[in-house]
Amino acid sequence: MPLDATGHPKRGIDWMAGYDWMTESGFGAGLMYSGYKSSYSLSDIDFAVKLAYIAPQFVMKQRFRQWSIEEKLGIGYFNYRESVKGSGSVSASGVGYNFLLGTEYHVSDLIGIGANIGYVSGSLPEDKFGNSNDEDGSTGIFRLHFNVGLRFHF
């Protein structure tokens, strides 16, 4: 990031949605979508940064009375998009990876309050932004996230 830029693309809005199918034994499969949006300015030009990740994942969940602990691991599609207001955008896509560790307090059978820590990492084989690894021309993004929110069980 240039020194005279204002704002910071590492600070932004993060959201996550998913669906998990679980067996009685606590093993299952799921689908997760994760998104991120941020912006910064440089020389009076506004830039928008967006990350998107979607992946099938392996899920494990252990329940202890009103509490549960879950682990998720997935591999899927990762996209990085950077745009300039009114001038178009550039994006790069590649393989993404995710891991999540969470806990949840079950208010009822249908609603829970959860918190988790996890990461989403993307490997981008073609970097159109001028940053690359000298060995193979690839680059990547690693995003650590902490989330708290409501969970609905159907």
Side-chain angles (χ1 to χ4, degrees), residues 1-153:
M1 178 101 171
L3 294 175
D4 52 346
T6 59
H8 205 293
K10 290 184 179 180
R11 296 185 190 120
I13 298 171
D14 176 54
W15 61 92
M16 186 180 300
Y19 180 79
D20 296 332
W21 175 82
M22 301 298 301
T23 65
E24 293 291 326
S25 64
F27 294 97
L31 181 67
M32 182 187 77
Y33 171 78
S34 176
Y36 177 79
K37 183 178 180 179
S38 185
S39 62
Y40 67 95
S41 296
L42 176 64
S43 302
D44 294 327
I45 300 172
D46 295 327
F47 292 85
V49 175
K50 295 178 184 174
L51 302 176
Y53 172 72
I54 187 164
Q57 52 188 1
F58 174 73
V59 180
M60 292 187 341
K61 186 179 259 188
Q62 302 83 36
R63 187 161 176 172
F64 310 97
R65 296 187 184 145
Q66 296 298 107
W67 289 91
S68 64
I69 297 172
E70 67 181 353
E71 303 86 15
K72 298 180 181 186
L73 179 65
I75 298 174
Y77 171 78
F78 184 86
N79 179 267
Y80 176 87
R81 178 176 300 275
E82 190 169 305
S83 60
V84 176
K85 201 173 214 176
S87 295
S89 65
V90 177
S91 68
S93 299
V95 176
Y97 314 90
N98 74 286
F99 176 76
L100 181 138
L101 177 63
T103 186
E104 179 178 356
Y105 178 76
H106 298 270
V107 177
S108 70
D109 287 339
L110 299 176
I111 299 174
I113 299 170
N116 60 53
I117 182 172
Y119 71 83
V120 174
S121 178
S123 177
L124 304 171
E126 291 183 32
D127 187 1
K128 301 173 185 173
F129 309 99
N131 303 312
S132 66
N133 180 329
D134 291 335
E135 290 180 19
D136 62 4
S138 67
T139 188
I141 295 173
F142 179 85
R143 189 167 58 90
L144 181 66
H145 58 84
F146 305 95
N147 299 87
V148 176
L150 291 176
R151 295 184 183 174
F152 300 96
H153 303 275

